[in-house]
Amino acid sequence: SAADMFRKVPGDLAQRTGSGGVLSLVALLVMGVLVLVETATYLSGRVESALGLDENTAPTIPFTFDVTVFAVPCQYASVDVYDFVGTRALDIRKNIVKREVGGHDGQADLGHWSEPKERAEDEDGDDPPHVHGYGAGDPDAVGSMELDAGKFYPTLSSGPVWAFVNFHAPWCPYCKNLAPVWEAFAAEVKKRGVQVRIVKVNCVDNAKLCREQQVMGYPTLRLYKMGKPVGRDYMGMRWIDNMLKYIEETTGETENARQVTRTAPSPMKSHATTGCRLIGHLRLNRVPGSIRIHAKSDAHSFDAMSTNISHSVRTMAFGDLHTKAQVSRALPRHYPGQFSPLNGKIFSTPADRQGVSHYLKIVSTEYRSRSYFRAPQVVYQMVPSSHVFVEEENAVPEVKITYDLSSNAIILSDRNARQWYEFLTNLCGLVGGMYTVFSLIDKSVFHLKAQPKQN
């Protein structure tokens, strides 16, 4: 038919050549690669972002954190939460796990921290309990041994093997209440013949020594064996009976070598600096607020000059971590998401009385998948601003995490890079164009090879 656009050439008129075969294979390879690239581009899609008002009506927002404080022991590390609607949760323990860490960078994991069954309490009043009847009023009673920096190491390194040390400060009210009990306790230990030296150190007069011993709370009661600290600091009741039981069961030294059930031997402290890793999951009200990590105790006083709040952040994120992981995997690698910008960072406080403030601007982000069967997913991005600041006089340094939610929201829509008809048009153009180009190359090669034969 005259209207036929697809006219055929008889097969006996077509000529096969070796160069044409090679070019055909190359053409098929190139076209295959281009088709695969074009198909992958179509399937990968692109993310379109838009800005709108935050319509999220959830009353709370999940907050997950994994923070290591290098120089604050777990017995003092505390987490508080405040917000603008009046929430004031102090020393939160539910949904928070503490792990002891060692070393200046907190990399050595020393195991899970569990709260002691018996905790020290402040004893108010002028007549501390469990003092009378133990020789405290006897003028001939020998009290504890006062040591300074020059005598501390030589005395503890010589006999007897064990020493129980009270690191105290004269201005500390808890230390003042403990003082008569400690002297009566020392007299009772000597009276019973228990081979444990009872010692006290004034940390105001011997500040350098106390810093070397990583003392940050007063009073700190610590057991030594031949000048080396043993196990955890004593955190039990500061009564004579309780402290006697502690040193007898821990050291095995008893009155007249009396048999006693000894607790498991406490290992020597393997790290000069002991810190705490805090792993927690909280649900916060969707209002501005703050989370504070600091040293706190109901039976200790803290010196702002000796408190170091340097820390590292392993995880700090708002929202559900599983949803965040799903959205992160779905987004293109080049998308500059700010889901956990503080992860993996270290914040140091080189000078005294320095705290760290993290200000976090939280932006609700809604991700809409290309799938019509998947509901939109809500995650949270944050813009951080971290600063080291000098605390007020006598204020104990802290890590202050202040958060504020933006009234705007980011809407991320996963779209196909092209419409389906654009994709098909491009495929046809690629195949047809490459076929035409290689046909021209084949004709040129054929004519060049045929010219010498005509001459």
Side-chain angles (χ1 to χ4, degrees):
S1 171
D4 185 7
M5 296 188 297
F6 307 103
R7 300 179 184 183
K8 313 298 186 298
V9 177
D12 54 352
L13 297 179
Q15 181 179 353
R16 295 187 179 91
T17 62
S19 60
V22 172
L23 286 173
S24 297
L25 293 176
V26 174
L28 289 174
L29 178 62
V30 173
M31 284 189 287
V33 171
L34 292 178
V35 168
L36 288 176
V37 172
E38 181 67 18
T39 304
T41 303
Y42 172 73
L43 294 177
S44 64
R46 67 175 183 269
V47 176
E48 297 178 351
S49 60
L51 191 64
L53 290 176
D54 186 5
E55 299 179 353
N56 194 333
T57 58
T60 60
I61 176 173
F63 175 68
T64 303
F65 64 94
D66 186 345
V67 177
T68 299
V69 188
F70 303 143
V72 178
C74 284
Q75 62 260 36
Y76 301 139
S78 176
V79 179
D80 299 343
V81 173
Y82 304 84
D83 65 31
F84 280 15
V85 297
T87 299
R88 191 167 177 265
L90 306 180
D91 193 15
I92 301 174
R93 299 180 186 178
K94 185 178 180 181
N95 297 329
I96 293 181
V97 175
K98 295 181 180 180
R99 297 192 66 85
E100 285 187 293
V101 295
H104 293 288
D105 55 359
Q107 294 299 314
D109 189 344
L110 304 182
H112 176 75
W113 164 264
S114 56
E115 297 289 342
K117 298 179 180 179
E118 185 181 81
R119 296 178 64 89
E121 295 179 357
D122 178 33
E123 304 296 350
D124 297 322
D126 298 328
D127 186 19
H130 298 265
V131 173
H132 296 295
Y134 282 98
D138 185 353
D140 296 326
V142 179
S144 60
M145 178 183 296
E146 181 86 34
L147 295 180
D148 58 19
K151 298 179 180 179
F152 182 80
Y153 294 107
T155 302
L156 265 62
S157 299
S158 60
V161 174
W162 297 93
F164 196 26
V165 183
N166 171 17
F167 295 95
H168 67 96
W171 51 264
C172 165
Y174 305 111
C175 300
K176 293 177 182 179
N177 288 335
L178 175 63
V181 182
W182 189 256
E183 297 305 319
F185 166 64
E188 187 65 22
V189 169
K190 185 173 181 62
K191 177 183 176 182
R192 296 190 181 193
V194 179
Q195 294 301 304
V196 177
R197 179 173 285 157
I198 308 302
V199 176
K200 61 184 177 182
V201 175
N202 187 326
C203 285
V204 173
D205 297 337
N206 303 277
K208 183 179 179 181
L209 170 63
C210 291
R211 289 196 180 190
E212 290 175 353
Q213 294 298 311
Q214 299 295 324
V215 175
M216 63 173 297
Y218 306 117
T220 291
L221 307 183
R222 184 173 296 167
L223 192 64
Y224 285 78
K225 183 177 183 180
M226 294 303 294
K228 301 290 185 180
V230 178
R232 296 175 175 174
D233 295 341
Y234 176 71
M235 298 293 290
M237 302 295 291
R238 296 169 187 156
W239 294 349
I240 294 175
D241 288 338
N242 300 72
M243 293 188 291
L244 279 170
K245 181 180 179 182
Y246 167 73
I247 62 173
E248 288 182 348
E249 291 183 350
T250 306
T251 67
E253 301 290 345
T254 59
E255 178 183 4
N256 300 322
R258 174 174 52 86
Q259 293 295 320
V260 65
T261 303
R262 185 177 177 183
T263 58
S266 300
M268 296 291 184
K269 285 194 173 182
S270 56
H271 299 84
T273 303
T274 303
C276 190
R277 181 181 175 188
L278 299 160
I279 308 169
H281 181 79
L282 307 174
R283 296 202 69 89
L284 308 173
N285 293 323
R286 283 182 60 87
V287 295
S290 65
I291 302 158
R292 301 182 185 183
I293 301 174
H294 59 134
K296 181 181 180 181
S297 173
D298 295 331
H300 296 82
S301 298
F302 298 99
D303 182 4
M305 302 296 288
S306 62
T307 302
N308 189 323
I309 206 69
S310 298
H311 62 282
S312 66
V313 178
R314 298 194 183 192
T315 302
M316 188 175 292
F318 288 85
D320 182 72
L321 292 182
H322 179 67
T323 303
K324 181 177 78 72
Q326 286 183 330
V327 173
S328 298
R329 287 194 298 267
L331 291 174
R333 294 182 180 180
H334 64 271
Y335 181 78
Q338 291 279 89
F339 299 110
S340 301
L342 295 182
N343 287 10
K345 293 188 176 181
I346 297 176
F347 302 90
S348 300
T349 54
D352 297 326
R353 290 177 47 224
Q354 287 189 339
V356 180
S357 174
H358 301 294
Y359 177 79
L360 308 177
K361 192 69 173 181
I362 312 302
V363 183
S364 180
T365 304
E366 182 179 299
Y367 174 73
R368 298 176 180 176
S369 171
R370 278 178 288 173
S371 174
Y372 294 102
F373 304 101
R374 181 178 296 178
Q377 296 172 293
V378 177
V379 293
Y380 295 89
Q381 299 188 72
M382 57 183 176
V383 181
S385 178
S386 301
H387 304 277
V388 175
F389 65 96
V390 178
E391 292 278 7
E392 298 179 0
E393 189 174 0
N394 297 327
V396 179
E398 64 182 3
V399 179
K400 187 176 182 180
I401 306 167
T402 304
Y403 57 92
D404 185 15
L405 284 88
S406 172
S407 59
N408 295 323
I410 297 176
I411 301 173
L412 301 176
S413 301
D414 192 0
R415 306 290 187 188
N416 289 326
R418 298 183 181 91
Q419 297 294 337
W420 63 270
Y421 50 84
E422 294 178 326
F423 169 66
L424 292 179
T425 301
N426 286 346
L427 281 184
C428 293
L430 283 174
V431 174
M434 294 308 300
Y435 179 80
T436 302
V437 169
F438 277 94
S439 295
L440 292 174
I441 294 174
D442 179 61
K443 288 181 180 179
S444 300
V445 172
F446 179 77
H447 286 300
L448 288 173
K449 292 174 64 177
Q451 283 180 358
K453 295 180 180 181
Q454 295 176 357
N455 293 333

